[in-house]
C-alpha cells in the first residue's frame, strides 16, 4: 500500500492525480439530448428576467447556450479519474451521477443485488431519488471488492453507523486509492468523526472529507450548489474538484479537515431544533436567533476539538447550517418537525425511513460536551427533550431565561467559563425535571 506523504504529493500506485487530469476524450455525449442542462436553469433565468423590471433583460437562450458550452468543455476534457462511490442512497447516488456526467469512470456500490439490477436497467434510484434519470455512463455493482479495485478515489456515502464496518470491508483491497468521506456524523460512543475512523482503520491512506449545503434532491434538479473538499493532500483536493466541478456544482477547497467535517456533523443537531421550531410556527426573529446561537455552539465545539473557528463561516458551516435548517428536504429538519408535532423519536425515525444523522449526533455531542465542560445549551436542551422526555417548551423557556452572555465569545469572552455555564444549563434542565414532578404530583 503506497503511503501518502504530507507534503502534498500523494503518490498512488493507481496514478498521480496531477498526471491523471489530462484527458483522452473517449465519449462525447450529445448534450442536445436529455443530458443538456435541465430547463430548471432556464426557469431560474426566466424568473430573474421577469423580476428584472427596468433592468437589462437577460436573454435566457444566450445564457442557456453559455451553460451548455461550459458543460461541453467539461465533456470534451473528461477527467478520466476512476471513482468508486459506496452507498446507493440519496447522496452517494447524487454525487456518483455528477462525476459520471463529468466523464469520470464511476461505479456506484449498492448492497442489494436486486437493486443493482433495477438501477442498471432503469438508470434511476427508485427508492431514494425516484423520477430522476441518472447518467447512462454510471455503472452499478453489489461486489464491493470489484468496485474499489483499480480506482483512484473511493467516496464513502454510508451512514456514520456503517462507516467503520465499510472501511474494514474494503481494507483488503486498498492498494493506493484515496478515500473521501461524504458522511456527516459522529460514531456512537467513541465520539469519533469519520476522518478519525479512516486514520484508525486505514492509517496509511490519503484521505479527505467533503461537506457543504448539498441537499441531494436539489443537486439532482441541477440547482446551483457548492461544497467543500478538505484534505491535507493538495492533489486529492484538485482531483475531487476536477471530478465533481461543473456549471451546477462548485467545489471549494480547505485544509481544515476537522472544521469542515464538524460543520457537516453538528449542523444536523440544529436542523432538528429548527424543525421543532417550525412546528411551533415561530417567527423569523426566533429562527434567526436559533441559527445564530447554533453557529456559536458549532464554532465553540469546533475550537475545543481542534478546528479553525473561521471554517464555520464557510459553506460547511453557516452554509450547510442554513440549507439544512431551512428545508423540508432535510431529513433532520423533518425529524424535528415530527417531534414538534408530538410524535415520539422512535415513531418519527420509523416514519422517515431514511438516514437522519442528527439524532445520534445530539447524544454524542451532549455526552462529550458534558464530559469536557463545553457550553452547548441547545444540544443539551434537545437531549433533554429527546432522551429524557422533558417538555420542549419548558426547556426552551429555560434557554431564554439563561443568564447574560456575550454575543460572540471570540470577540468578548463570556463572564463565566464554559464549564460553569454547562453546569448552569444542566441545573436548569433538571429544574424542568422538578417542575414536571411538581406538575405531576399536582395532576
Ligand atoms: N442526502 C443528502 O442530501 C446528503 C447530503 C450530504 C451528505 N449526506 C450524508 O451522506 C450519508 C449518507 O446519507 P444519505 O442521504 O445517502 O442516506 P440514505 O438514507 O439516503 O442512504 C443510506 C445508504 O446507505 C446504505 N447503508 C445503510 N446501512 C449500511 C451498511 N451497514 N453498509 C452499507 N451500506 C449501508 C443504505 O442501504 C442506503 O443505500 C449521511 O451521513 C448523510 O448525512 C447526505
Ligand atoms: O437530509 P439531511 O438533514 O441529512 O441534510 C442533507 C445534507 O446534509 C444537507 O447538506
Amino acid at each position: 500500500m503506497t503511503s501518502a506523504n504530507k507534503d502534498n504529493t500523494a503518490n498512488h500506485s493507481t496514478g498521480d492525480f496531477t498526471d491523471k487530469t489530462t484527458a483522452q476524450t473517449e465519449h462525447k455525449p450529445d448534450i442536445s439530448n436529455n443530458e443538456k442542462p435541465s430547463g430548471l436553469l432556464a426557469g431560474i433565468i426566466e424568473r430573474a428576467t421577469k423580476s428584472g423590471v427596468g433592468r437589462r433583460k437577460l436573454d435566457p437562450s444566450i445564457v442557456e447556450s453559455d451553460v451548455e458550452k461550459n458543460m461541453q468543455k467539461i465533456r470534451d476534457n473528461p477527467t478520466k479519474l476512476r471513482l468508486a462511490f459506496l452507498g446507493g442512497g440519496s447522496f452517494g447516488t447524487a454525487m456518483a451521477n455528477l462525476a459520471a456526467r463529468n466523464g469520470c469512470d464511476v461505479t456506484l456500490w449498492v448492497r442489494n443485488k436486486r437493486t443493482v439490477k433495477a438501477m442498471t436497467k432503469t438508470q434511476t434510484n427508485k427508492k431514494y431519488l425516484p423520477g430522476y434519470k441518472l447518467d447512462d455512463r454510471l455503472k452499478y455493482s453489489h461486489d464491493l471488492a470489484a468496485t474499489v479495485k483499480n480506482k483512484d478515489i473511493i467516496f464513502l456515502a454510508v451512514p456514520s453507523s456503517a462507516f467503520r464496518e465499510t472501511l474494514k470491508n474494503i481494507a483488503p483491497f486498498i492498494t493506493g486509492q484515496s478515500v473521501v468521506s461524504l458522511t456527516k456524523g459522529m460514531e456512537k460512543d467513541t465520539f469519533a468523526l469519520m476522518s478519525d475512523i479512516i486514520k484508525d482503520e486505514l492509517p496509511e491512506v490519503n484521505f479527505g472529507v467533503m461537506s457543504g449545503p448539498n441537499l441531494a434532491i436539489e443537486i439532482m434538479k441541477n440547482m446551483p450548489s457548492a461544497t467543500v473538499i478538505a484534505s491535507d493532500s493538495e492533489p486529492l483536493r484538485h482531483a475531487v474538484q476536477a471530478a465533481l466541478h461543473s456549471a451546477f456544482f462548485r467545489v471549494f477547497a480547505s485544509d481544515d479537515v476537522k472544521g469542515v467535517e464538524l460543520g457537516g456533523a453538528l449542523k444536523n443537531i440544529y436542523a432538528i431544533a429548527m424543525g421543532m421550531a417550525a412546528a411551533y410556527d415561530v417567527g423569523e426573529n426566533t429562527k434567526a436567533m436559533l441559527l445564530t446561537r447554533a453557529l456559536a455552539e458549532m464554532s465553540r465545539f469546533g475550537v475545543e476539538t481542534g478546528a479553525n473557528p473561521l471554517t464555520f463561516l464557510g459553506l460547511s458551516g453557516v452554509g450547510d447550517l442554513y440549507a439544512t435548517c431551512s428545508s423540508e428536504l432535510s431529513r433532520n429538519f423533518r425529524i424535528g418537525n415530527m417531534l414538534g408535532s408530538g410524535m415520539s423519536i422512535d415513531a418519527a425515525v420509523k416514519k422517515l425511513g431514511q438516514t437522519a444523522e442528527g439524532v445520534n449526533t445530539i447524544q454524542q455531542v451532549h455526552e462529550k460536551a458534558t464530559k469536557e465542560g463545553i457550553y452547548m445549551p441547545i444540544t443539551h436542551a434537545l437531549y433533554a427533550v429527546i432522551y429524557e422526555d422533558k417538555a420542549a417548551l419548558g426547556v426552551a423557556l429555560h434557554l431564554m431565561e439563561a443568564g447574560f452572555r456575550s454575543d460572540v465569545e471570540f470577540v468578548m469572552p463570556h463572564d463565566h467559563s464554559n464549564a460553569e455555564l454547562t453546569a448552569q444549563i444542566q441545573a436548569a434542565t433538571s429544574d424542568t425535571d422538578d417542575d414536571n414532578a411538581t406538575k405531576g404530583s399536582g395532576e
Side-chain angles (χ1 to χ4, degrees):
M1 182 185 300
T2 38
S3 65
N5 49 40
K6 290 295 175 201
D7 65 1
N8 282 331
T9 48
N11 177 21
H12 294 285
S13 61
T14 51
D16 173 321
F17 290 127
T18 44
D19 298 337
K20 286 285 170 194
T21 51
T22 50
Q24 303 86 19
T25 311
E26 286 168 10
H27 174 81
K28 284 192 176 182
D30 167 15
I31 60 169
S32 60
N33 66 19
N34 65 356
E35 284 187 311
K36 71 179 186 185
S38 98
L40 195 92
L41 185 63
I44 292 174
I45 293 166
E46 258 136 37
R47 282 198 294 275
T49 310
K50 282 202 187 80
S51 66
V53 177
R55 269 178 264 149
R56 192 169 68 82
K57 291 269 183 283
L58 267 177
D59 176 342
S61 60
I62 293 177
V63 181
E64 189 85 22
S65 70
D66 286 352
V67 170
E68 281 182 4
K69 278 192 206 113
N70 215 349
M71 295 298 284
Q72 188 56 50
K73 261 190 245 153
I74 290 175
R75 286 183 175 78
D76 290 348
N77 302 288
T79 42
K80 289 315 280 178
L81 284 165
R82 298 161 301 171
L83 309 177
F85 287 81
L86 310 185
S90 317
F91 199 53
T93 307
M95 288 297 105
N97 188 55
L98 280 189
R101 196 167 71 176
N102 277 356
C104 297
D105 173 1
V106 184
T107 303
L108 176 65
W109 173 72
V110 183
R111 281 189 297 180
N112 182 300
K113 198 172 180 179
R114 267 181 302 116
T115 309
V116 168
K117 271 196 181 141
M119 291 178 82
T120 307
K121 184 163 173 273
T122 64
Q123 284 154 4
T124 59
N125 185 334
K126 280 214 172 82
K127 178 174 179 188
Y128 293 99
L129 300 169
Y132 292 95
K133 174 125 179 4
L134 302 172
D135 192 285
D136 58 13
R137 291 161 289 180
L138 180 51
K139 294 173 279 187
Y140 310 91
S141 172
H142 74 282
D143 180 337
L144 189 57
T147 302
V148 300
K149 279 179 183 167
N150 304 316
K151 293 291 189 311
D152 299 305
I153 307 173
I154 302 167
F155 292 85
L156 272 83
V158 295
S160 55
S161 55
F163 201 84
R164 187 180 293 273
E165 164 199 354
T166 305
L167 285 182
K168 286 179 185 294
N169 292 339
I170 66 172
F173 315 108
I174 296 294
T175 53
Q177 303 93 320
S178 289
V179 169
V180 173
S181 165
L182 303 179
T183 297
K184 296 177 176 178
M186 199 174 268
E187 187 174 53
K188 205 166 180 53
D189 303 332
T190 64
F191 310 123
L193 293 169
M194 301 308 111
S195 60
D196 300 320
I197 301 174
I198 295 171
K199 287 182 277 191
D200 224 9
E201 295 297 331
L202 303 172
E204 290 305 308
V205 152
N206 193 35
F207 72 91
V209 300
M210 197 175 96
S211 195
N214 301 157
L215 295 156
I217 295 280
E218 292 194 1
I219 289 170
M220 295 308 293
K221 286 180 172 179
N222 286 333
M223 280 286 195
S225 305
T227 199
V228 185
I229 173 65
S231 174
D232 289 337
S233 162
E234 188 177 18
L236 179 55
R237 295 197 298 262
H238 287 170
V240 172
Q241 286 177 306
L244 296 174
H245 202 94
S246 76
F248 303 103
F249 194 74
R250 290 204 63 187
V251 184
F252 291 83
S254 170
D255 60 5
D256 181 11
V257 171
K258 182 72 82 175
V260 167
E261 197 172 19
L262 270 174
L266 295 174
K267 60 85 183 174
N268 288 326
I269 296 173
Y270 309 103
I272 291 175
M274 287 291 268
M276 289 181 74
Y280 302 138
D281 204 16
V282 298
E284 296 313 311
N285 292 356
T286 312
K287 290 177 195 170
M289 174 186 68
L290 196 44
L291 212 62
T292 311
R293 298 318 301 162
L295 193 58
E297 277 195 21
M298 288 167 71
S299 43
R300 182 180 307 132
F301 191 87
V303 166
E304 296 284 337
T305 43
N308 182 331
L310 296 176
T311 297
F312 295 87
L313 297 179
L315 286 159
S316 61
V318 67
D320 203 1
L321 179 68
Y322 171 77
T324 314
C325 290
S326 316
S327 172
E328 290 188 0
L329 288 175
S330 155
R331 283 78 49 90
N332 288 284
F333 182 94
R334 298 210 299 262
I335 285 279
N337 204 253
M338 288 188 267
L339 286 173
S341 312
M343 209 179 272
S344 72
I345 186 66
D346 293 338
V349 169
K350 190 161 184 285
K351 183 170 168 49
L352 180 76
Q354 286 190 46
T355 306
E357 294 277 9
V359 178
N360 169 58
T361 311
I362 286 171
Q363 183 169 23
Q364 302 313 309
V365 172
H366 163 80
E367 287 173 9
K368 187 172 173 77
T370 303
K371 191 165 152 236
E372 323 237 332
I374 306 171
Y375 181 49
M376 304 285 282
I378 302 171
T379 305
H380 295 318
L382 283 169
Y383 181 85
V385 171
I386 293 174
Y387 292 99
E388 298 173 341
D389 205 21
K390 297 282 190 340
L393 286 179
V395 171
L397 280 176
H398 274 301
L399 280 182
M400 288 303 291
E401 286 159 1
F404 301 138
R405 306 275 176 262
S406 307
D407 176 24
V408 180
E409 67 202 70
F410 305 117
V411 174
M412 183 179 85
H414 288 305
D415 295 342
H416 306 279
S417 74
N418 280 338
E420 283 170 286
L421 294 169
T422 303
Q424 281 174 25
I425 199 79
Q426 306 289 40
T429 324
S430 62
D431 284 353
T432 310
D433 209 13
D434 299 345
D435 292 350
N436 282 348
T438 315
K439 275 199 211 96
S441 60
E443 278 160 2

